[in-house]
Amino acid sequence: IKCNVDRSNLQSDINAVFNWSKLCLMSINLSKLAYLHLGNRFCHHTYLCDSVEITRHPEVKDLGVHVSEQGNFRVHYNDFCRKAYTISA
């Protein structure tokens, strides 16, 4: 996201996905929506899905992989090591 037009385009894409899901009779779990902001530009913006605010998280887990706002996998690595240690202990 480099400018306000990019923000507007992203919001339009979110709306399009939501409308498509309704058309296909698929529900979106609005309580699980989250976004991860990478970088330090334009980081204070609110995105909505069906009038529900999409919350910003400093870290997300997607497909079993933790990623942080800094773009690193430290949380994923620490969680992996913790689980390995628990198994081996």
Side-chain angles (χ1 to χ4, degrees), residues 6-22:
D6 292 343
R7 286 180 177 176
S8 180
N9 288 339
L10 179 56
Q11 183 61 62
S12 294
D13 290 344
I14 292 168
N15 296 340
V17 169
F18 181 75
N19 291 332
W20 172 82
S21 72
K22 282 179 24 180

Side-chain angles (χ1 to χ4, degrees), residues 10-84:
L10 179 56
Q11 183 61 62
S12 294
D13 290 344
I14 292 168
N15 296 340
V17 169
F18 181 75
N19 291 332
W20 172 82
S21 72
K22 282 179 24 180
L23 182 67
C24 295
L25 304 175
M26 296 170 48
S27 62
I28 293 178
N29 188 340
L30 299 176
S31 67
K32 290 188 175 183
L33 289 180
Y35 77 94
L36 176 72
H37 179 84
L38 297 173
N40 55 10
R41 296 184 64 199
F42 294 103
C43 58
H44 301 290
H45 187 71
T46 302
Y47 296 102
L48 303 172
C49 184
D50 193 31
S51 302
V52 174
E53 183 176 340
I54 301 173
T55 56
R56 178 181 174 188
H57 290 274
E59 166 208 322
V60 295
K61 182 178 180 181
D62 189 31
L63 300 174
V65 177
H66 295 269
V67 180
S68 72
E69 284 182 321
Q70 291 77 31
N72 64 43
F73 299 93
R74 181 171 290 124
V75 174
H76 181 74
Y77 175 76
N78 290 340
D79 187 49
F80 180 81
C81 290
R82 181 187 53 79
K83 288 178 183 177

